[in-house]
Amino acid sequence: MHEMTIRVYYEDTDLAGIVYYANYLKFIERARTEFVRGLGIDQTRLKAEQGLVFAVRRIEADYLAPARFDDLLRITTEPARITPARIELRQIAHRGKQPLFSAHVTLACLNDQMRPARLPADLAALMGS
């Protein structure tokens, strides 16, 4: 499991003073990028050398409690399921021990034609397949 800390800035909040719902998607995107980077996968190199990219295919999200300005959030990312062309991840934003936002994210591996492609075996192994 990968963990990343993100501070909530004023720009992340709405008129009610809580995190605007769409900003959680930005938070978990950053955490996914760091998760992949932490595995030693260079996404820029993957695209340049193999023509492969990851695209979000589906997100199922639950908003559990609001985060507010200056909160420190801990975003956890862990693989849920790896298939030949997809990666499913569980991501949760916590404030302390309290879960605030939960998402199940499905990423598709795409080739340079934006068509589904198989994950390279070494990459799938790094992800835990």
Side-chain angles (χ1 to χ4, degrees), residues 44-104:
T44 302
R45 202 169 98 218
L46 185 65
K47 181 180 180 196
E49 294 176 3
Q50 297 183 46
L52 299 176
V53 296
F54 299 115
V56 173
R57 183 177 190 290
R58 182 169 197 257
I59 292 182
E60 185 177 329
D62 288 307
Y63 297 86
L64 308 170
R68 293 183 167 74
F69 170 70
D70 215 30
D71 280 351
L72 210 53
L73 305 181
R74 180 174 48 92
I75 313 295
T76 58
T77 303
E78 62 182 326
R81 184 171 159 225
I82 310 295
T83 70
R86 290 187 186 164
I87 301 165
E88 294 181 22
L89 301 169
R90 279 188 300 273
Q91 294 190 272
I92 302 173
H94 301 82
R95 180 181 49 233
K97 292 186 179 191
Q98 180 184 20
L100 305 178
F101 174 84
S102 168
H104 186 94

Side-chain angles (χ1 to χ4, degrees), residues 10 23-25 33 49 53 59 83 96 119:
Y10 183 74
N23 286 333
Y24 287 100
L25 300 179
T33 299
E49 294 176 3
V53 296
I59 292 182
T83 70
L119 290 167

Side-chain angles (χ1 to χ4, degrees), residues 5-14 17-20 23 27 30 67-73:
T5 302
I6 294 176
R7 180 162 313 271
V8 174
Y9 294 107
Y10 183 74
E11 68 186 21
D12 298 321
T13 63
D14 62 15
I18 60 175
V19 170
Y20 180 67
N23 286 333
F27 298 162
R30 291 177 201 157
R68 293 183 167 74
F69 170 70
D70 215 30
D71 280 351
L72 210 53
L73 305 181

Side-chain angles (χ1 to χ4, degrees), residues 93-115:
H94 301 82
R95 180 181 49 233
K97 292 186 179 191
Q98 180 184 20
L100 305 178
F101 174 84
S102 168
H104 186 94
V105 182
T106 302
L107 302 173
C109 184
L110 303 176
N111 64 21
D112 54 5
Q113 309 293 302
M114 294 295 123
R115 305 288 305 157

